[in-house]
Amino acid sequence: MSGAVPDGWLKTGRREYENRSVEVEVKFQPTPERDGNFEVWIVNEAAEESTAVENVKPDEVECRELAKAVMDSFTTAFQRALDEGDDEDDAVARAVERAAAENRA
């Protein structure tokens, strides 16, 4: 994870969880090379950390779909971690790692 949150986001996805305020977003943006490809990041705003999903997509539509899949993976992993007894911070960390791994190219 990187301590810096990249600038220049195009889109964002955020979900509310029952009785919880989890500050994690899944965002996508053009790659730094500006070569027409897009990348997805999972941003843990509370910890000011971001994790790249190693799966570059050739257009915005495909990347938007990947971002949705990453958020779904995060949601499932977050709930599973809570069900297994993790506290909220640990559950977020586990879910970020899991979502990034599950959606790697």
Side-chain angles (χ1 to χ4, degrees), residues 7-12 27-30 34 38 60 64:
D7 293 324
W9 301 117
L10 288 179
K11 305 290 178 188
T12 182
K27 302 179 178 189
F28 68 93
Q29 68 178 13
R34 303 284 184 193
F38 291 81
E60 186 175 341
R64 182 187 329 267

Side-chain angles (χ1 to χ4, degrees), residues 2 5 8 14 33 45 51 54 62 69 90 92-93 97-98:
S2 163
V5 176
R14 180 188 296 255
E33 297 82 19
E45 294 178 347
T51 302
E54 297 174 20
E62 285 185 50
D90 289 342
V92 167
E97 289 176 17
R98 179 91 181 212

Side-chain angles (χ1 to χ4, degrees), residues 7-9 25 30 43 48 53 67 71 89-90 96 100 103:
D7 293 324
W9 301 117
E25 293 183 335
V43 180
E48 296 184 359
V53 176
M71 183 55 93
D89 290 339
D90 289 342
V96 167
N103 292 282

Side-chain angles (χ1 to χ4, degrees), residues 3-22:
V5 176
D7 293 324
W9 301 117
L10 288 179
K11 305 290 178 188
T12 182
R14 180 188 296 255
R15 291 200 178 152
E16 298 296 323
Y17 297 93
E18 183 178 317
N19 301 319
R20 301 180 190 284
S21 57
V22 176

Side-chain angles (χ1 to χ4, degrees), residues 57-77:
K57 293 295 181 187
D59 64 47
E60 186 175 341
V61 173
E62 285 185 50
C63 200
R64 182 187 329 267
E65 292 304 313
L66 174 60
K68 289 177 187 175
V70 170
M71 183 55 93
D72 289 343
S73 294
F74 174 85
T75 299
T76 301

